[in-house]
Amino acid sequence: MQRTLVIGASRGIGLAACEALLAQGQQVRALARSAQTMTLAHEALEKRQGDALVSADVSAALDGVDAVVQCLGVPLNLRLLTGPITLFGAATDVLLPAMQAAGVRRLVAVTGFGAGDSGAAIHPLQRLGFNLVFGRAYADKSRQEALIKASELDWTIARPGVLTNGPPRDDYRVLIEPDSWRNGVISRASVADFIVTALADDAYVGAAPVLVN
């Protein structure tokens, strides 16, 4: 039975990924600073309190796992506008060498539409507002993506559009080709469904699709 480490597991996409993986019969190790407050309970779920920025916490959490899902987020507050935002790149600086040392090769990381080369697909009318509100965070997510792409891991980067709540949809789109990239909405549960699919399908290794309904 596969065991997957979910980093940033206590809320949002990370929590939805834990639920989706458990529903598929996998073992899940949930790493978060607030892991012990998670209301999700399952016999195949291991809650591990730790910090994605602390090498010892990440290295210990990698013991005995087959794959990693990285779902990091920052709060929507004034710091998002004023910065600095360094969580995404700094946590990836910790994670990648730890995975190499542990011999864990499979990584699915969640960033967002607008990170990396998908930034060129933002509509010109949206670009000013996007950069004003999310520019600092997405500059760091772009650094996160660059680090992952330069690694020797078997990586997939998921770039969801605007996140919503609600159940997964059967008709969400996985847009791999750059000329198809566009913004849109997608539920966190649909992103979690893609994470499960990507972990099971080597076709997504080395891909960085945009995810929208």
Side-chain angles (χ1 to χ4, degrees), residues 108-142:
V108 177
V110 179
T111 58
F113 173 73
D117 55 358
S118 72
I122 299 174
H123 193 281
L125 294 177
Q126 297 177 326
R127 192 179 306 279
L128 179 61
F130 181 90
N131 289 339
L132 179 64
V133 178
F134 300 110
R136 289 172 174 81
Y138 272 73
D140 194 38
K141 288 188 179 191
S142 294

Side-chain angles (χ1 to χ4, degrees), residues 86-194:
T86 60
L87 170 66
F88 306 105
T92 305
D93 276 329
V94 171
L95 176 62
L96 298 180
M99 288 183 66
Q100 295 271 13
V104 180
R105 294 194 52 81
R106 190 69 177 103
L107 170 64
V108 177
V110 179
T111 58
F113 173 73
D117 55 358
S118 72
I122 299 174
H123 193 281
L125 294 177
Q126 297 177 326
R127 192 179 306 279
L128 179 61
F130 181 90
N131 289 339
L132 179 64
V133 178
F134 300 110
R136 289 172 174 81
Y138 272 73
D140 194 38
K141 288 188 179 191
S142 294
R143 178 173 179 266
Q144 174 190 11
E145 288 196 2
L147 291 168
I148 292 169
K149 289 181 176 182
S151 76
E152 297 180 356
L153 299 178
D154 297 327
W155 54 265
T156 302
I157 296 171
R159 296 161 161 171
V162 179
L163 295 168
T164 65
N165 294 319
R169 290 177 48 157
D170 294 333
D171 60 347
Y172 71 86
R173 305 290 301 278
V174 181
L175 306 177
I176 293 183
E177 297 302 324
D179 61 1
S180 70
W181 291 342
R182 60 176 175 82
N183 203 1
V185 300
I186 187 167
S187 70
R188 293 171 177 84
S190 292
V191 179
D193 181 81
F194 172 76

